[in-house]
Amino acid sequence: MAIEQTQILPAPVLEGALTAFTKKLQPLIGQEIDTSKYAPQVAAQTALQTGASQAAQGLGSLVGPDAYKPFMSPYQQEVMDTTLSEFDRQQTINQQGLRDQAIAAGAYGGGREGVQQAQFMNQGAVNRAQLQAQLLNQGFMQAQGAAANDLQARQGLGTYQQAMGQADQGFAQAGLDAQTLAQREALYEPFTRLGLVGQQLAAINPGAFGSTTVGYQSGAAPASPMSSFLGGGAGAGGVLGKLGIFG
């Protein structure tokens, strides 16, 4: 029984491309990719960010009951001393005037004059204490306001530093990302290139190129005596039948 095998061969130009593709692909089959070459990296904080962080740690001294102390005016005590000294001077003048009035009235040294002097001194002490408290309160309020303003200014500066630092860090991060991507693309370039070539080769329709059909036919086996006889008999019977020999 004859067996015919048909094989469709690609055009020579396509066959050459497939051969070159296979030769390039074979070394990559067992090749490991060093993923550490394109491991993700995080940009470090900038000097602005670290400076803002360190400055923020020092803001604790600007809050709390003692926050005003660094902002007390160095001249406050001098102002207080001068003011109280002037008060004491006026108090002495007024006390001398009260004594002069008692002398003029002939009541100096009497009980009434003593009571007046005591009342005058007590009231003077109260007035002096109120004046001192007022001066201290003014200094405290001014220092407290200065501390609050300084805290607000420092916070605003810290926010600005953080924003600028983050912008610089973002720029640095973009550079690292681009470098990582470039390294990854470099490592994958052979695979990417062969992958693209393979896609193109796979998309090519072999029928679009001229092809050669090669037929293979097995050699005929020698006829056996029986087959020869049957073949011959059939032929002879047919002829003899026509001649009327077999009726």
Side-chain angles (χ1 to χ4, degrees), residues 110 146 171 203:
F171 182 79

Side-chain angles (χ1 to χ4, degrees), residues 220-247:
S224 65
M226 181 61 69
S227 61
S228 298
F229 171 77
L230 291 176
V239 173
L240 293 176
K242 291 181 179 180
L243 295 175
I245 298 177
F246 295 99

Side-chain angles (χ1 to χ4, degrees), residues 36 38-46 49 165-166 168-181 183:
S36 65
Y38 57 89
Q41 302 180 63
V42 178
Q45 285 190 324
T46 64
Q49 289 174 301
Q166 288 176 357
D168 291 342
Q169 186 184 30
F171 182 79
Q173 184 65 55
L176 290 176
D177 293 343
Q179 180 180 357
T180 299
L181 181 59
Q183 291 174 342

